[in-house]
Amino acid sequence: MKKIFVALVTSLFVSGCLQTEYQADGLTGGYSDEMTGPNTATVLFKGNAFTKATDVRKFALRRAAELTVKEGFDYFLLEASDNFTKTKKLASNIQCNTIGYSTSCYDYGGGTTSHPRTSIDIRMFKGKAPNQTGYYDARYLIAR
C-alpha cells in the first residue's frame, strides 16, 4: 500500500499537478491568516517545490486584499514582510540487486526540495489609500 501511495504522489509531482495555486492551505500549500487585532492581521502563504517565490508573495498580497475587504476595510498598510524558504529532505530509496554471490545497491532519490513562504503583517483602513509606498488598495489588487 505504501509503495502505491509513493508512486501516486511521485507521478503527481512529476506531472506538475501539485503546483501550489491560490487556495486555502492544504496538501500542496496555500494561504492561512489570523486577525491579530480589530484592524490588523497576519497572512502566510506557503508554496511547494514547484511554486516560484514571486508567486508566493503575490498570493500573500492577494489574500491580504481579500481579507481587508471581508473585514469591511478599503486598503491596507504592509507593516512587516518575511520571505523565507523551508527546505524539506526527500526520502532515499535504496534498491539492491543480487546476482549470484554479488549484491549491488543503488540510492535513488534523496536530496532536498525548497518551499518558498511569505508572511506579511497588515494594518487595514477605511477610505482612499494614500499614494505612498507600502499602502495597497484592496479592491484594485483583487481585480488584477
Coordinates of all heavy atoms in Angstrom, one line a residue, residues 12-106:
L12 N 2.3 12.5 -9.5 CA 1.6 13.8 -9.4 C 2.6 14.9 -9.4 O 2.5 15.9 -10.1 CB 0.7 13.9 -8.2 CG -0.6 13.1 -8.3 CD1 -1.3 13.1 -7.0 CD2 -1.5 13.6 -9.4
F13 N 3.7 14.8 -8.7 CA 4.8 15.8 -8.6 C 5.4 15.9 -10.0 O 5.6 17.0 -10.5 CB 5.8 15.4 -7.6 CG 5.6 16.0 -6.3 CD1 5.4 15.1 -5.2 CD2 5.5 17.3 -6.0 CE1 5.2 15.6 -3.9 CE2 5.3 17.8 -4.7 CZ 5.1 16.9 -3.7
V14 N 5.7 14.8 -10.7 CA 6.3 14.8 -12.0 C 5.5 15.5 -13.0 O 5.9 16.3 -13.8 CB 6.7 13.4 -12.4 CG1 7.2 13.4 -13.9 CG2 7.8 12.9 -11.5
S15 N 4.2 15.3 -12.9 CA 3.3 15.9 -13.9 C 2.9 17.4 -13.6 O 2.3 18.1 -14.4 CB 1.9 15.1 -14.0 OG 1.2 15.3 -12.8
G16 N 3.4 17.8 -12.4 CA 3.1 19.2 -12.1 C 1.7 19.5 -11.5 O 1.4 20.6 -11.3
C17 N 1.0 18.5 -11.2 CA -0.4 18.6 -10.7 C -0.4 19.2 -9.3 O -1.4 19.7 -8.9 CB -1.1 17.3 -10.7 SG -1.5 16.7 -12.4
L18 N 0.7 19.1 -8.6 CA 0.7 19.6 -7.2 C 1.3 21.0 -7.0 O 1.6 21.4 -5.9 CB 1.4 18.6 -6.3 CG 0.7 17.2 -6.1 CD1 1.5 16.3 -5.2 CD2 -0.7 17.4 -5.5
Q19 N 1.5 21.7 -8.1 CA 1.9 23.0 -8.0 C 0.9 23.9 -7.2 O -0.3 23.8 -7.4 CB 2.1 23.6 -9.4 CG 2.6 25.1 -9.4 CD 2.8 25.6 -10.8 OE1 2.9 24.8 -11.8 NE2 2.9 26.9 -10.9
T20 N 1.4 24.7 -6.3 CA 0.5 25.4 -5.5 C -0.2 26.5 -6.3 O 0.5 27.3 -7.0 CB 1.3 26.1 -4.3 OG1 2.0 25.1 -3.6 CG2 0.4 26.8 -3.4
E21 N -1.5 26.5 -6.2 CA -2.3 27.5 -6.8 C -2.8 28.4 -5.7 O -2.6 28.2 -4.5 CB -3.5 26.9 -7.5 CG -3.1 26.0 -8.7 CD -2.4 26.7 -9.8 OE1 -2.7 27.9 -10.1 OE2 -1.6 26.1 -10.5
Y22 N -3.5 29.5 -6.0 CA -4.1 30.3 -5.0 C -5.3 29.6 -4.4 O -6.3 29.3 -5.0 CB -4.6 31.7 -5.6 CG -5.1 32.6 -4.5 CD1 -4.3 33.3 -3.7 CD2 -6.5 32.7 -4.3 CE1 -4.8 34.1 -2.7 CE2 -7.0 33.5 -3.3 CZ -6.1 34.2 -2.5 OH -6.6 35.0 -1.5
Q23 N -5.1 29.2 -3.1 CA -6.1 28.4 -2.4 C -5.9 28.5 -0.9 O -4.8 28.9 -0.5 CB -6.0 27.0 -2.8 CG -4.6 26.4 -2.4 CD -4.4 25.0 -3.0 OE1 -5.0 24.6 -4.0 NE2 -3.4 24.3 -2.5
A24 N -6.8 28.1 -0.1 CA -6.6 27.9 1.3 C -5.6 26.8 1.6 O -5.4 25.9 0.7 CB -7.9 27.6 2.0
D25 N -4.9 26.9 2.7 CA -3.8 26.0 3.0 C -4.3 24.5 2.9 O -5.3 24.2 3.5 CB -3.2 26.3 4.3 CG -1.9 25.6 4.6 OD1 -1.3 25.1 3.6 OD2 -1.5 25.5 5.7
G26 N -3.6 23.7 2.2 CA -3.9 22.3 2.0 C -2.7 21.4 1.8 O -1.6 21.8 2.1
L27 N -2.9 20.3 1.1 CA -1.8 19.4 0.9 C -0.7 20.0 0.1 O 0.5 19.7 0.4 CB -2.4 18.1 0.1 CG -1.4 17.1 -0.3 CD1 -0.8 16.4 1.0 CD2 -2.0 16.0 -1.2
T28 N -0.9 20.8 -0.9 CA 0.1 21.4 -1.7 C 0.5 22.8 -1.3 O 1.1 23.5 -2.1 CB -0.3 21.4 -3.2 OG1 -1.5 22.2 -3.4 CG2 -0.6 20.0 -3.6
G29 N 0.0 23.3 -0.2 CA 0.3 24.7 0.3 C -0.9 25.6 0.2 O -2.0 25.1 -0.1
G30 N -0.7 26.9 0.3 CA -1.8 27.8 0.2 C -1.7 28.8 1.3 O -0.7 29.0 2.0
Y31 N -2.8 29.6 1.5 CA -2.8 30.7 2.5 C -3.5 30.3 3.8 O -4.4 29.5 3.8 CB -3.5 32.0 1.9 CG -4.9 31.8 1.6 CD1 -5.9 31.9 2.6 CD2 -5.4 31.7 0.3 CE1 -7.3 31.8 2.3 CE2 -6.7 31.5 0.0 CZ -7.7 31.6 1.0 OH -9.0 31.5 0.7
S32 N -3.0 31.0 4.8 CA -3.7 31.0 6.1 C -3.6 32.4 6.6 O -2.7 33.2 6.3 CB -3.1 30.0 7.1 OG -1.7 30.3 7.3
D33 N -4.5 32.8 7.5 CA -4.5 34.2 8.0 C -5.1 34.2 9.4 O -5.8 33.2 9.8 CB -5.2 35.1 7.1 CG -6.6 34.7 6.8 OD1 -7.5 34.6 7.7 OD2 -6.9 34.4 5.6
E34 N -4.7 35.2 10.2 CA -5.2 35.3 11.5 C -5.3 36.8 11.8 O -4.4 37.6 11.6 CB -4.2 34.7 12.5 CG -4.5 34.9 13.9 CD -3.5 34.3 14.9 OE1 -2.4 33.9 14.4 OE2 -3.7 34.3 16.1
M35 N -6.5 37.2 12.3 CA -6.7 38.5 12.8 C -6.0 38.7 14.1 O -6.2 37.9 15.0 CB -8.2 38.8 13.0 CG -9.0 38.8 11.7 SD -8.5 40.1 10.6 CE -8.9 41.6 11.5
T36 N -5.1 39.7 14.2 CA -4.3 39.9 15.4 C -4.8 41.1 16.2 O -4.3 41.4 17.3 CB -2.8 40.1 15.1 OG1 -2.7 41.1 14.1 CG2 -2.3 38.8 14.5
G37 N -5.8 41.8 15.7 CA -6.4 42.9 16.4 C -7.6 43.3 15.6 O -8.0 42.7 14.6
P38 N -8.3 44.4 16.0 CA -9.5 44.8 15.2 C -9.3 45.2 13.8 O -10.2 45.1 12.9 CB -10.1 46.0 16.0 CG -9.0 46.4 17.0 CD -8.0 45.3 17.1
N39 N -8.1 45.7 13.5 CA -7.8 46.1 12.1 C -6.4 45.6 11.7 O -5.7 46.2 10.8 CB -7.9 47.6 11.9 CG -6.8 48.4 12.6 OD1 -6.4 48.0 13.7 ND2 -6.4 49.5 12.0
T40 N -5.9 44.6 12.3 CA -4.5 44.0 12.0 C -4.6 42.5 11.8 O -5.5 41.9 12.4 CB -3.5 44.3 13.1 OG1 -4.0 43.7 14.3 CG2 -3.2 45.8 13.2
A41 N -3.8 42.0 10.9 CA -3.8 40.6 10.6 C -2.4 40.2 10.1 O -1.6 41.0 9.7 CB -4.8 40.3 9.5
T42 N -2.2 38.9 10.2 CA -1.0 38.2 9.7 C -1.5 37.2 8.6 O -2.4 36.4 8.9 CB -0.2 37.5 10.8 OG1 0.2 38.4 11.7 CG2 1.0 36.7 10.2
V43 N -0.9 37.3 7.5 CA -1.2 36.4 6.4 C 0.1 35.6 6.0 O 1.2 36.1 5.9 CB -1.6 37.2 5.1 CG1 -1.8 36.2 3.9 CG2 -2.9 37.9 5.4
L44 N -0.1 34.3 5.9 CA 1.0 33.4 5.5 C 0.6 32.7 4.2 O -0.5 32.1 4.1 CB 1.3 32.4 6.6 CG 2.3 31.3 6.3 CD1 3.7 31.8 6.1 CD2 2.3 30.2 7.4
F45 N 1.5 32.6 3.2 CA 1.3 31.8 2.1 C 2.4 30.9 1.9 O 3.6 31.3 1.9 CB 1.1 32.6 0.8 CG 0.5 31.8 -0.3 CD1 -0.8 31.8 -0.6 CD2 1.3 31.0 -1.1 CE1 -1.4 31.0 -1.5 CE2 0.7 30.2 -2.1 CZ -0.6 30.2 -2.3
K46 N 2.1 29.5 1.8 CA 3.1 28.5 1.7 C 3.1 27.9 0.3 O 2.0 27.5 -0.2 CB 2.9 27.4 2.7 CG 3.0 27.9 4.1 CD 2.9 26.8 5.1 CE 1.5 26.2 5.2 NZ 1.4 25.2 6.3
G47 N 4.2 27.9 -0.4 CA 4.3 27.3 -1.7 C 4.9 25.9 -1.6 O 5.4 25.6 -0.5
N48 N 4.9 25.2 -2.7 CA 5.6 23.9 -2.7 C 6.9 24.0 -3.6 O 7.2 25.1 -4.0 CB 4.7 22.7 -3.0 CG 4.2 22.8 -4.5 OD1 4.7 23.5 -5.3 ND2 3.1 22.2 -4.7
A49 N 7.5 22.9 -3.9 CA 8.8 22.9 -4.6 C 8.6 23.4 -6.1 O 9.5 23.8 -6.7 CB 9.4 21.5 -4.6
F50 N 7.3 23.4 -6.6 CA 7.1 23.9 -7.9 C 6.6 25.3 -8.0 O 6.3 25.8 -9.1 CB 6.1 22.9 -8.6 CG 6.5 21.5 -8.7 CD1 6.1 20.6 -7.8 CD2 7.4 21.1 -9.7 CE1 6.6 19.3 -7.8 CE2 7.9 19.8 -9.8 CZ 7.4 18.9 -8.9
T51 N 6.5 26.0 -6.9 CA 6.0 27.4 -6.9 C 7.1 28.4 -6.8 O 8.0 28.3 -5.9 CB 5.0 27.5 -5.7 OG1 4.1 26.4 -5.6 CG2 4.3 28.8 -5.8
K52 N 7.1 29.4 -7.6 CA 8.1 30.5 -7.6 C 7.9 31.4 -6.4 O 6.7 31.7 -6.0 CB 8.0 31.3 -8.9 CG 8.4 30.5 -10.1 CD 8.5 31.4 -11.3 CE 7.1 31.4 -12.0 NZ 7.1 32.2 -13.2
A53 N 8.9 31.9 -5.8 CA 8.8 32.8 -4.7 C 8.1 34.1 -5.0 O 7.3 34.6 -4.2 CB 10.3 33.1 -4.2
T54 N 8.2 34.5 -6.2 CA 7.4 35.7 -6.6 C 5.9 35.5 -6.6 O 5.1 36.4 -6.3 CB 7.9 36.3 -8.0 OG1 7.8 35.2 -9.0 CG2 9.3 36.8 -8.0
D55 N 5.5 34.3 -7.0 CA 4.1 33.9 -7.0 C 3.6 33.8 -5.5 O 2.5 34.2 -5.2 CB 3.8 32.6 -7.7 CG 4.0 32.7 -9.2 OD1 3.9 33.9 -9.7 OD2 4.2 31.7 -9.9
V56 N 4.4 33.3 -4.7 CA 4.0 33.2 -3.2 C 3.8 34.6 -2.7 O 2.8 34.8 -2.0 CB 5.1 32.4 -2.5 CG1 4.9 32.5 -1.0 CG2 5.1 30.9 -2.9
R57 N 4.6 35.5 -2.9 CA 4.4 36.9 -2.4 C 3.2 37.5 -3.0 O 2.4 38.1 -2.3 CB 5.7 37.7 -2.8 CG 5.5 39.2 -2.3 CD 6.8 39.9 -2.1 NE 6.6 41.3 -1.8 CZ 6.4 41.7 -0.6 NH1 6.3 40.9 0.5 NH2 6.3 43.0 -0.3
K58 N 3.0 37.3 -4.3 CA 1.8 37.9 -5.0 C 0.5 37.3 -4.4 O -0.5 38.0 -4.1 CB 1.8 37.6 -6.5 CG 0.7 38.1 -7.3 CD 0.9 37.8 -8.8 CE 1.1 36.4 -9.1 NZ 1.1 36.1 -10.5
F59 N 0.5 36.0 -4.1 CA -0.6 35.3 -3.5 C -0.9 35.8 -2.1 O -2.0 35.9 -1.6 CB -0.5 33.8 -3.5 CG -0.5 33.2 -4.9 CD1 0.1 32.0 -5.1 CD2 -1.2 33.7 -5.9 CE1 0.1 31.3 -6.3 CE2 -1.3 33.1 -7.2 CZ -0.6 31.9 -7.4
A60 N 0.2 36.1 -1.3 CA 0.0 36.6 0.1 C -0.6 38.0 0.0 O -1.5 38.3 0.8 CB 1.4 36.7 0.8
L61 N -0.2 38.8 -0.9 CA -0.8 40.2 -1.1 C -2.3 40.1 -1.5 O -3.1 40.8 -1.0 CB 0.0 41.0 -2.1 CG 1.3 41.5 -1.6 CD1 2.1 42.1 -2.7 CD2 1.2 42.5 -0.4
R62 N -2.6 39.1 -2.4 CA -4.0 38.9 -2.8 C -4.8 38.5 -1.6 O -6.0 39.0 -1.4 CB -4.0 37.9 -3.9 CG -5.4 37.6 -4.4 CD -5.4 36.6 -5.5 NE -6.7 36.1 -5.8 CZ -6.9 35.1 -6.7 NH1 -5.9 34.6 -7.4 NH2 -8.1 34.6 -6.9
R63 N -4.3 37.6 -0.8 CA -5.1 37.2 0.4 C -5.3 38.3 1.3 O -6.4 38.5 1.9 CB -4.5 36.0 1.1 CG -5.2 35.5 2.3 CD -6.7 35.1 1.9 NE -7.5 34.9 3.1 CZ -8.8 34.9 3.1 NH1 -9.5 35.1 2.0 NH2 -9.4 34.6 4.2
A64 N -4.3 39.2 1.5 CA -4.4 40.3 2.4 C -5.5 41.3 1.9 O -6.3 41.8 2.7 CB -3.0 41.1 2.5
A65 N -5.6 41.5 0.6 CA -6.6 42.3 0.0 C -8.0 41.7 0.2 O -8.9 42.5 0.6 CB -6.3 42.5 -1.5
E66 N -8.1 40.4 0.0 CA -9.4 39.8 0.2 C -9.9 39.9 1.7 O -11.0 40.2 2.0 CB -9.4 38.3 -0.2 CG -9.3 38.1 -1.7 CD -9.1 36.6 -2.1 OE1 -8.9 35.8 -1.2 OE2 -9.2 36.4 -3.3
L67 N -8.9 39.7 2.6 CA -9.2 39.8 4.0 C -9.6 41.2 4.4 O -10.5 41.5 5.2 CB -8.0 39.3 4.8 CG -8.2 39.2 6.3 CD1 -9.3 38.2 6.6 CD2 -6.9 38.8 6.9
T68 N -8.9 42.2 3.8 CA -9.2 43.6 4.1 C -10.7 43.9 3.7 O -11.4 44.5 4.5 CB -8.2 44.5 3.3 OG1 -6.9 44.3 3.7 CG2 -8.6 46.0 3.5
V69 N -11.1 43.5 2.5 CA -12.5 43.8 2.1 C -13.5 43.0 2.9 O -14.5 43.5 3.3 CB -12.6 43.4 0.6 CG1 -14.1 43.5 0.1 CG2 -11.8 44.4 -0.3
K70 N -13.1 41.7 3.2 CA -14.0 40.9 4.0 C -14.3 41.5 5.4 O -15.4 41.5 5.9 CB -13.4 39.5 4.2 CG -14.1 38.6 5.1 CD -13.4 37.3 5.3 CE -14.0 36.5 6.5 NZ -13.1 35.5 7.0
E71 N -13.3 42.2 6.0 CA -13.4 42.8 7.3 C -14.0 44.2 7.2 O -14.1 44.9 8.2 CB -12.0 42.9 8.0 CG -11.5 41.5 8.3 CD -12.3 40.7 9.3 OE1 -12.8 41.3 10.3 OE2 -12.5 39.5 9.1
G72 N -14.4 44.7 6.0 CA -15.0 46.0 5.9 C -14.1 47.2 5.7 O -14.5 48.3 5.9
F73 N -12.9 46.9 5.3 CA -11.9 48.0 5.1 C -11.6 48.2 3.6 O -12.0 47.3 2.8 CB -10.6 47.7 5.8 CG -10.8 47.7 7.3 CD1 -10.9 46.5 8.0 CD2 -10.8 48.8 8.1 CE1 -11.1 46.4 9.4 CE2 -11.0 48.8 9.4 CZ -11.1 47.6 10.1
D74 N -10.9 49.3 3.2 CA -10.7 49.6 1.8 C -9.2 49.4 1.4 O -9.0 49.1 0.2 CB -11.1 51.0 1.6 CG -12.5 51.3 1.9 OD1 -13.4 50.6 1.4 OD2 -12.8 52.2 2.7
Y75 N -8.3 49.6 2.3 CA -6.9 49.5 1.9 C -6.1 49.0 3.1 O -6.6 49.0 4.3 CB -6.3 50.8 1.4 CG -6.2 51.9 2.4 CD1 -5.0 52.2 3.0 CD2 -7.3 52.8 2.6 CE1 -4.9 53.2 3.9 CE2 -7.1 53.8 3.5 CZ -5.9 54.0 4.1 OH -5.8 55.1 5.0
F76 N -4.9 48.6 2.9 CA -4.0 48.1 4.0 C -2.6 48.6 3.8 O -2.2 49.0 2.7 CB -4.0 46.6 4.1 CG -3.5 45.8 2.9 CD1 -2.1 45.5 2.9 CD2 -4.2 45.5 1.9 CE1 -1.6 44.8 1.8 CE2 -3.7 44.8 0.8 CZ -2.4 44.4 0.8
L77 N -1.9 48.7 5.0 CA -0.5 49.0 5.0 C 0.2 47.8 5.3 O -0.1 47.0 6.3 CB -0.3 50.1 6.1 CG 1.2 50.3 6.5 CD1 1.9 51.0 5.3 CD2 1.3 51.2 7.7
L78 N 1.2 47.5 4.5 CA 2.1 46.4 4.7 C 3.1 46.8 5.8 O 4.1 47.5 5.5 CB 2.8 46.0 3.4 CG 3.7 44.7 3.4 CD1 2.9 43.5 3.8 CD2 4.3 44.5 2.1
E79 N 2.9 46.3 7.0 CA 3.8 46.7 8.1 C 5.1 45.9 8.2 O 6.1 46.4 8.6 CB 3.0 46.7 9.4 CG 1.9 47.7 9.5 CD 1.3 47.8 10.9 OE1 1.1 46.8 11.5 OE2 1.0 48.9 11.3
A80 N 5.0 44.6 7.9 CA 6.2 43.7 8.0 C 6.0 42.6 7.0 O 4.9 42.2 6.7 CB 6.3 43.2 9.4
S81 N 7.1 42.2 6.5 CA 7.1 41.1 5.5 C 8.3 40.2 5.7 O 9.4 40.7 6.0 CB 7.1 41.7 4.1 OG 7.2 40.8 3.1
D82 N 8.1 38.9 5.6 CA 9.2 38.0 5.7 C 9.1 37.0 4.6 O 8.1 36.2 4.5 CB 9.2 37.3 7.1 CG 10.4 36.5 7.3 OD1 11.4 36.6 6.6 OD2 10.4 35.6 8.2
N83 N 10.1 36.9 3.7 CA 10.1 35.9 2.7 C 11.2 34.9 3.1 O 12.3 35.3 3.4 CB 10.5 36.5 1.3 CG 9.5 37.6 0.9 OD1 8.3 37.4 0.9 ND2 10.0 38.8 0.6
F84 N 10.8 33.6 3.1 CA 11.8 32.6 3.5 C 11.5 31.3 2.8 O 10.5 31.2 2.1 CB 11.8 32.4 5.1 CG 10.4 32.1 5.6 CD1 10.1 30.8 6.0 CD2 9.5 33.1 5.9 CE1 8.9 30.5 6.5 CE2 8.3 32.8 6.4 CZ 8.0 31.5 6.7
T85 N 12.4 30.4 2.9 CA 12.3 29.1 2.3 C 12.4 28.0 3.3 O 13.3 28.0 4.2 CB 13.4 28.9 1.2 OG1 13.3 30.0 0.3 CG2 13.3 27.6 0.5
K86 N 11.5 27.0 3.2 CA 11.5 25.8 4.1 C 12.1 24.7 3.2 O 11.7 24.5 2.1 CB 10.1 25.5 4.6 CG 10.2 24.3 5.5 CD 8.8 24.0 6.1 CE 8.9 22.9 7.0 NZ 7.6 22.6 7.7
T87 N 13.2 24.1 3.7 CA 13.8 23.0 3.0 C 13.4 21.7 3.6 O 13.4 21.5 4.8 CB 15.4 23.2 3.1 OG1 15.8 24.4 2.6 CG2 16.1 22.1 2.4
K88 N 12.9 20.8 2.7 CA 12.5 19.5 3.1 C 13.4 18.4 2.5 O 13.8 18.5 1.3 CB 11.0 19.3 2.6 CG 10.0 20.1 3.3 CD 8.6 19.7 2.9 CE 7.6 20.6 3.6 NZ 6.2 20.2 3.3
K89 N 13.7 17.5 3.3 CA 14.6 16.4 2.9 C 13.7 15.3 2.3 O 12.7 14.9 2.8 CB 15.3 15.8 4.1 CG 16.3 14.7 3.8 CD 17.1 14.3 5.0 CE 17.8 13.1 4.7 NZ 19.2 13.1 4.4
L90 N 14.1 14.8 1.1 CA 13.4 13.7 0.5 C 14.0 12.4 0.9 O 15.1 12.2 1.2 CB 13.6 13.9 -1.1 CG 13.1 15.1 -1.7 CD1 13.5 15.2 -3.2 CD2 11.6 15.3 -1.5
A91 N 13.1 11.4 1.0 CA 13.5 10.1 1.5 C 14.3 9.4 0.4 O 14.1 9.6 -0.8 CB 12.2 9.3 1.8
S92 N 15.3 8.7 0.9 CA 16.1 7.8 0.0 C 15.3 6.6 -0.4 O 14.5 6.1 0.4 CB 17.4 7.5 0.6 OG 18.2 8.6 0.7
N93 N 15.6 6.0 -1.5 CA 15.0 4.8 -1.9 C 16.2 3.9 -2.4 O 16.6 3.9 -3.5 CB 14.0 5.0 -3.1 CG 13.3 3.8 -3.5 OD1 13.4 2.8 -2.8 ND2 12.7 3.8 -4.7
I94 N 16.6 3.1 -1.5 CA 17.8 2.2 -1.8 C 17.2 0.9 -2.3 O 16.4 0.2 -1.7 CB 18.6 2.0 -0.5 CG1 19.2 3.3 0.0 CG2 19.7 0.9 -0.8 CD1 20.0 3.2 1.3
Q95 N 17.8 0.5 -3.5 CA 17.4 -0.8 -4.1 C 18.6 -1.6 -4.3 O 19.6 -1.1 -4.8 CB 16.7 -0.5 -5.4 CG 15.4 0.2 -5.3 CD 14.6 0.4 -6.6 OE1 15.2 0.1 -7.7 NE2 13.4 0.8 -6.5
C96 N 18.5 -2.9 -3.9 CA 19.6 -3.8 -4.1 C 19.3 -5.0 -5.0 O 18.1 -5.4 -5.0 CB 20.0 -4.4 -2.7 SG 20.6 -3.1 -1.5
N97 N 20.2 -5.4 -5.8 CA 20.1 -6.5 -6.7 C 21.1 -7.5 -6.4 O 22.3 -7.2 -6.3 CB 20.2 -6.0 -8.2 CG 19.1 -5.0 -8.6 OD1 18.0 -5.2 -8.2 ND2 19.5 -4.0 -9.3
T98 N 20.7 -8.8 -6.3 CA 21.7 -9.8 -6.1 C 21.7 -10.7 -7.3 O 20.7 -11.2 -7.8 CB 21.3 -10.6 -4.9 OG1 21.2 -9.8 -3.7 CG2 22.3 -11.8 -4.6
I99 N 22.9 -10.9 -7.8 CA 23.2 -11.8 -8.9 C 24.3 -12.8 -8.5 O 25.4 -12.3 -8.3 CB 23.6 -11.0 -10.2 CG1 22.5 -10.1 -10.6 CG2 23.9 -12.0 -11.3 CD1 22.8 -9.2 -11.8
G100 N 23.9 -14.0 -8.3 CA 24.8 -15.0 -7.8 C 25.3 -14.6 -6.4 O 24.5 -14.5 -5.5
Y101 N 26.6 -14.4 -6.3 CA 27.1 -14.1 -4.9 C 27.4 -12.6 -4.8 O 27.9 -12.1 -3.8 CB 28.4 -14.9 -4.7 CG 28.2 -16.4 -4.6 CD1 28.6 -17.2 -5.6 CD2 27.6 -16.9 -3.5 CE1 28.4 -18.6 -5.6 CE2 27.4 -18.3 -3.4 CZ 27.8 -19.1 -4.5 OH 27.5 -20.4 -4.4
S102 N 27.0 -11.8 -5.8 CA 27.3 -10.4 -5.8 C 26.0 -9.6 -5.6 O 25.0 -9.8 -6.2 CB 27.9 -10.0 -7.2 OG 28.1 -8.6 -7.2
T103 N 26.1 -8.6 -4.7 CA 25.0 -7.7 -4.4 C 25.4 -6.3 -4.7 O 26.4 -5.8 -4.2 CB 24.5 -7.8 -3.0 OG1 24.1 -9.2 -2.7 CG2 23.3 -6.9 -2.7
S104 N 24.6 -5.6 -5.5 CA 24.8 -4.2 -5.8 C 23.6 -3.4 -5.3 O 22.5 -3.7 -5.6 CB 25.0 -4.0 -7.3 OG 26.0 -4.7 -7.8
C105 N 23.9 -2.3 -4.6 CA 22.9 -1.4 -4.1 C 23.0 0.0 -4.6 O 24.1 0.5 -4.8 CB 22.9 -1.3 -2.5 SG 22.6 -2.9 -1.7
Y106 N 21.9 0.6 -5.0 CA 21.9 2.0 -5.5 C 20.9 2.8 -4.7 O 19.8 2.3 -4.3 CB 21.5 1.9 -7.0 CG 22.5 1.1 -7.8 CD1 22.2 -0.2 -8.1 CD2 23.6 1.7 -8.3 CE1 23.0 -1.0 -8.9 CE2 24.5 0.9 -9.1 CZ 24.2 -0.4 -9.3 OH 25.1 -1.2 -10.1

